[in-house]
Structures are given as structure tokens and as C-alpha cells.
Amino acid sequence: MHNCEALSIRGRGGAKVMLLLAVIAGALSGDHALASTVICEKGKGYVAIDASEQLSEDFLRQIKALQIDNVIRYYDWSNETLPGKTLTTRELRLIARLDMNVAVVFQHHNDCLCTFTTKGRGTKDARRALELARAFSQPAGSAIYFGVDGVDAQFLSLLRGTGMPSGETEARKFVQRFVRPYFEEVSQTMKASGYKIGVYGSGLVCSQLLDGKLADYCWLANATSWPGYADFEATKRWVLKQHLPTRKANCFGVEVDLNSGNAVDFGQWRPKAF
């Protein structure tokens, strides 16, 4: 998908630089595009898979046979960014029948800077997430994650193209100016809901939001080149750590990401029998 947005940023001496962002999903994230040799197999310590397509009973049975009991699926708007991306009641019935758990992450163009530069977007996304959570009888005490899919890395790439400073200091300023307000809106909208808030993103994003008490859980993205990955990974403050995606041929016909866990509870829940 192509996302285009104009963003004004202030450089040294008060000068403003207008950057025309032509962001193709995944194009600047690097790590996501790497050829993967990851295989769905038992004994690797994986606790969850995440998938952006609807899953069949046969697939879920094969995953459970590998002793992976948790499935991460998406909440999205009705105009999904990918066909079949949003979790369905049919899948919840299957997950419940197989005594498995589900965790959810809200993403709708969360790989686009425009999502985080639009005032009120966090409020709208949180309301939509709550609408779906209630429709699916998601229990209080479980979590809804919100994606920050590499926008801090994209921002630094754009700065490098202008010759402006593009280190961790600039990334931190970006997160504070644009990502933090999005999560402040999410937090305000969800504060009386009973749900916890998770963030999917870089080590830098995770550390900033955990320190700011705007997220309860961090799901560390697999892109090791994104800001702060190594330092945050070493802290073990993440509850989930994503690995590179499988090929369909290596995971029962579905492309998934495998995830390691660092906590028994990462906000997953057992669906009720619909």
C-alpha cells in the first residue's frame, strides 16, 4: 500500500523542512523483507504465533500440536488494510474449542507517519478497538495492543536523506512529539474499560511508553534495526518478542510470525464458547 503525507519538522536554527512522505508498507523496515528460514516446530520456546489472515481449524490443531497455545490476531477498521486481517467470531469458536488463547493487536495503517501526526486518531482507534472487544466478549483484565510499526525508523531514514541529525536523540523527540500523544489518547479512552494496553514496536517506543506508564505490556517487533532494539531486548522488559516471519511452506500453509515469551501473562484470553 502507498501512504503519502506531508510532515513539517523543525531543524536547527528554527528552519522548517517540508518532507513529502511516500511510504510503502515495509519498504523502510528492512528486517521484514529478509528471506526467512524460520520453521514452525516444537521445542524452540515459542509461545505464540501472530497472523494477518483468517485461520482454519486444521492450522490451529497443527499449531497446538507444537505446544503453541496462543494465537495473536488483529483488530482493524471495517476497511481493513489487508483482506481477512480482522479477527472473526468463527476463529474464536475454534480457539475456544481447542482450549487455546487469543491476544489482539489493533493496527490500521500504523506503519504510516500520518497515523501518528493526526490529532484524535488514538481516540478513534481506541474506540474501534473497544467496540470489537465488547462484540467478542473480550474479558476485562486482558490486553489490547496497539501497533507502532516502524514509524520511528522511517522518520530517521527521512532525516538522513536531508542531511539533518538522525540519531537516537531525534528518534526520542519524534516518539515524544507524535507517538506519545497517540497513546495518551488511547489511555484516556480506555481508562474505564478494564482492559490493559500493550504496544507493539521498537525497543525505543516500548521503553518510552512503559516509562511513561502509557502501556502495560511491550511486544518487541522483529526488526532489529529499529531504534533501541538491542538495549531494550537486553532489559527483558518485553513480554513478547517477535521473530522473523515463516514462509507458508514452513508453517502449514500460513505465513506467520513466531514469538517468544518473557512472562506467563501478556494479556491473552480464553474466548468464551459462542
Side-chain angles (χ1 to χ4, degrees):
M1 77 193 87
H2 294 263
N3 301 317
C4 189
E5 178 74 14
L7 173 68
S8 176
I9 61 173
R10 187 173 297 275
R12 289 180 174 175
K16 288 188 175 181
V17 180
M18 293 301 295
L19 298 176
L20 182 65
L21 310 181
V23 181
I24 301 173
L28 295 177
S29 59
D31 303 71
H32 290 293
L34 294 175
S36 172
T37 56
V38 179
I39 298 173
C40 288
E41 57 185 330
K42 189 185 294 186
K44 297 294 185 180
Y46 301 130
V47 301
I49 63 102
D50 66 89
S52 57
E53 63 181 88
Q54 294 181 21
L55 302 174
S56 69
E57 181 173 1
D58 181 61
F59 173 82
L60 291 170
R61 286 188 182 279
Q62 293 185 87
I63 287 296
K64 186 174 176 63
L66 301 180
Q67 300 177 346
I68 299 174
D69 293 325
N70 301 289
V71 175
I72 305 171
R73 291 284 283 114
Y74 287 89
Y75 285 170
D76 197 353
W77 287 92
S78 56
N79 57 328
E80 299 173 305
T81 51
L82 292 170
K85 179 178 176 181
T86 306
L87 176 68
T88 65
T89 301
R90 178 193 63 80
E91 290 173 288
L92 287 176
R93 288 195 192 102
L94 294 174
I95 291 167
R97 186 185 306 161
L98 294 171
D99 293 323
M100 300 177 76
N101 304 309
V102 64
V104 291
V105 54
F106 185 93
Q107 284 196 350
H108 186 80
H109 296 302
N110 288 48
D111 59 348
C112 179
L113 288 162
C114 56
T115 293
F116 299 94
T117 58
T118 302
K119 187 176 181 179
R121 178 62 184 272
T123 300
K124 292 178 181 178
D125 286 352
R127 287 175 178 167
R128 171 61 174 169
L130 289 174
E131 176 189 342
L132 290 169
R134 289 161 182 158
F136 291 139
S137 299
Q138 179 175 342
S142 62
I144 302 173
Y145 287 76
F146 290 82
V148 185
D149 209 351
V151 292
D152 46 341
Q154 293 176 18
F155 181 71
L156 292 184
S157 294
L158 291 164
L159 287 181
R160 282 193 289 272
T162 69
M164 296 174 65
S166 57
E168 187 169 317
T169 298
E170 286 68 38
R172 286 181 179 276
K173 289 178 181 177
F174 171 81
V175 171
Q176 287 296 312
R177 181 174 175 183
F178 295 110
V179 178
R180 183 184 175 94
Y182 176 94
F183 275 85
E184 288 174 341
E185 292 177 356
V186 168
S187 179
Q188 179 67 23
T189 305
M190 291 181 58
K191 67 179 181 180
S193 69
Y195 297 117
K196 294 182 178 179
I197 297 172
V199 56
Y200 167 89
S202 70
L204 175 62
V205 165
C206 282
S207 64
Q208 293 282 290
L209 295 181
L210 290 176
D211 289 347
K213 301 189 184 306
L214 292 171
D216 299 292
Y217 299 118
C218 166
W219 176 13
L220 183 60
N222 65 31
T224 58
S225 65
W226 289 358
Y229 181 92
D231 288 344
F232 187 79
E233 195 274 341
T235 69
K236 302 294 185 183
R237 295 175 69 194
W238 46 271
V239 293
L240 289 169
K241 181 172 70 172
Q242 187 183 58
H243 299 275
L244 289 173
T246 68
R247 296 188 177 95
K248 288 186 176 184
N250 291 336
C251 199
F252 315 117
V254 180
E255 182 179 303
V256 305
D257 298 302
L258 292 157
N259 296 271
S260 301
N262 196 35
V264 174
D265 174 22
F266 49 86
Q268 74 273 40
W269 45 285
R270 180 68 53 89
K272 73 171 191 176
F274 284 86

